[in-house]
Amino acid sequence: VAAEQALAPKGGTGVREDQMVRVATVDNYQGEQADIVIATLVRSNDEGQIGFLREPQRVNVLLSRARIGFILIGNSTTLLKCRNAAGRRLWETVLDKMDVRDGLPVVCENHKTQQLLQSKSDFVSHATDGGCSVMCGMVLPSCRQPEGQKHKCPLRCHPLGDHPHADVVCKALVDDRCDKGHPVKRECGSETPLPCKERVKDPCPMGHFRARLCSESPLQNKCDACDREMERKRLREKRAMEAAEKEEEVQRKAQEDLDDVLDSIAIEKAEADAEETTRRKQHEAELALKGLKEQRLRRREAAVRVDERKREELAAKLQGPASVDASSLAATSDDENASSIGTLGSSALGS
């Protein structure tokens, strides 16, 4: 049985007591009764598991709550295949005394037609508007046609009550005219006609016309010709933009190629300048080395001459005064020559 839930409307809602429905578990309904009781057993499986439905005391409470009518919804196969022997015998006895149907039998109060509802979709197909599938056929109070020409209810059988058609609007289509005088249709129970489908034209400031439905709002400052011209203009602008982007891409590529060529030339020039600078520095170093070698050679020659003069002076001293004068004169001449050679070497090295 479904979990306990109070669905009955409370006082002050305008619902009669005989229209209230209470939903509760079997345990919570113990000690109470109702004219009509609908019980669902919810146990449905291939293993024969039926839980407390195997207990006679609780089944007794379940079966003794209704005064007039009792409807039991469940899986008889599961109950009759119960693993518990006592429970199986209990339900064999109960089902043997009941009118078992393969569905829920219903009878229309209005037309006395009978249906067997076997699935959820049967409630929609057999009780579309709350009754059976027979058309209602009663005259609608909301119909605006003269007496004798009033339309009938388009619904299938439905509960009648005190005012069965208070909320049913007559939807039969009748002839009418729109505000512009065009022929249209209107639902009989409504004062507003259906949208007019007549085609009309609105002028635009450019002298064109644009077609629209009469029921649509007037179109301002636009027309089909203007729209086509605007579309062509957008297309031209798009193509011009694409051409400009393509031209810009070509120029960018050309500039990149030119930059690559200029970079190559600059690199080659820099390498040539570096090579020329290296050769010049190497030549200057060779000249400087050559000058140093020549200066070293002159110094060695001057040192040799000094040694020779000293030997000559020593020899002159050993030979006498006359020899000394001659030797002094010769030594003086040699010193002057050596000074001249040293001055010339220094000048050559500096240059």
Side-chain angles (χ1 to χ4, degrees):
V1 181
E4 181 178 13
Q5 181 179 7
L7 295 183
K10 298 182 179 179
T13 61
V15 180
R16 299 197 308 266
E17 184 177 356
D18 59 354
Q19 294 178 323
M20 294 183 180
V21 176
R22 178 184 176 188
V23 179
T25 62
V26 172
D27 293 338
N28 285 337
Y29 212 67
Q30 188 171 358
E32 300 184 43
Q33 285 187 324
D35 290 341
I36 305 296
V37 174
I38 300 176
T40 173
L41 302 180
V42 305
R43 299 287 182 173
S44 179
N45 55 75
D46 296 332
E47 294 77 21
Q49 300 286 350
I50 64 173
F52 70 85
L53 293 178
R54 66 178 180 271
E55 300 176 8
Q57 296 84 356
R58 306 184 78 170
V59 174
N60 178 60
V61 174
L62 171 67
L63 300 177
S64 59
R65 300 302 96 195
R67 300 189 188 96
I68 300 175
F70 179 67
I71 300 174
L72 187 63
I73 300 175
N75 189 332
S76 60
T77 302
T78 300
L79 298 173
L80 295 177
K81 290 183 178 181
C82 174
R83 291 185 176 183
N84 184 278
R88 186 168 57 252
R89 289 193 299 270
L90 170 64
W91 282 104
E92 287 176 354
T93 302
V94 172
L95 295 178
D96 185 60
K97 296 181 180 297
M98 298 186 71
D99 181 12
V100 180
R101 304 286 185 92
D102 188 20
L104 179 64
V106 294
V107 178
C108 175
E109 293 183 356
N110 299 331
H111 303 94
K112 307 305 178 184
T113 57
Q114 298 184 11
Q115 295 288 347
L116 185 66
L117 306 181
Q118 297 178 310
S119 64
K120 181 173 65 175
S121 61
D122 289 345
F123 284 88
V124 178
S125 59
H126 298 307
T128 306
D129 297 316
C132 63
S133 58
V134 178
M135 299 302 296
C136 175
M138 297 182 65
V139 175
L140 291 175
S142 62
C143 181
R144 305 166 67 90
Q145 296 301 305
E147 290 295 336
Q149 300 180 10
K150 289 185 176 297
H151 301 115
K152 296 181 180 180
C153 176
L155 303 178
R156 296 185 182 276
C157 178
H158 56 86
L160 297 179
D162 297 334
H163 303 284
H165 299 98
D167 298 327
V168 180
V169 178
C170 182
K171 294 184 178 296
L173 297 180
V174 296
D175 294 332
D176 202 343
R177 289 188 176 275
C178 72
D179 295 340
K180 303 298 182 181
H182 303 132
V184 295
K185 294 293 184 180
R186 173 179 56 83
E187 291 183 355
C188 181
S190 173
E191 297 181 359
T192 304
L194 297 179
C196 180
K197 303 298 183 180
E198 189 75 16
R199 304 291 293 185
V200 297
K201 293 182 178 181
D202 289 333
C204 79
M206 303 301 296
H208 306 128
F209 290 90
R210 179 167 184 169
R212 64 173 175 86
L213 295 178
C214 177
S215 57
E216 295 178 344
S217 300
L219 304 169
Q220 299 178 355
N221 302 327
K222 289 186 178 180
C223 70
D224 295 336
C226 291
D227 290 344
R228 288 193 295 270
E229 180 62 28
M230 185 64 67
E231 182 63 26
R232 288 193 292 268
K233 181 180 178 181
R234 284 196 294 265
L235 184 59
R236 290 194 298 270
E237 291 176 351
K238 181 180 178 181
R239 291 176 178 174
M241 185 177 296
E242 292 176 351
E245 291 177 352
K246 186 176 181 180
E247 179 65 21
E248 184 179 352
E249 179 65 20
V250 172
Q251 293 179 0
R252 184 184 65 81
K253 181 63 177 177
Q255 184 63 38
E256 289 179 354
D257 295 341
L258 178 61
D259 292 342
D260 292 341
V261 172
L262 294 178
D263 291 343
S264 299
I265 294 174
I267 292 173
E268 292 177 358
K269 184 176 183 304
E271 292 177 349
D273 293 343
E275 186 177 354
E276 178 64 24
T277 301
T278 301
R279 286 198 300 269
R280 186 174 65 253
K281 289 183 178 180
Q282 185 177 3
H283 180 66
E284 292 176 354
E286 290 175 353
L287 292 177
L289 181 60
K290 182 178 180 181
L292 289 175
K293 288 181 179 179
E294 291 177 353
Q295 184 178 10
R296 189 179 298 115
L297 179 60
R298 286 193 296 271
R299 287 178 180 177
R300 288 177 182 177
E301 292 175 352
V304 170
R305 288 195 295 272
V306 170
D307 291 340
E308 291 178 353
R309 190 186 63 185
K310 287 181 178 181
R311 285 194 298 271
E312 290 175 356
E313 288 179 354
L314 180 60
K317 287 181 180 181
L318 295 176
Q319 291 177 1
S323 299
V324 171
D325 293 337
S327 299
S328 299
L329 182 61
T332 301
S333 177
D334 291 337
D335 291 339
E336 291 176 356
N337 291 333
S339 296
S340 299
I341 292 173
T343 303
L344 291 174
S346 300
S347 299
L349 182 62
S351 62

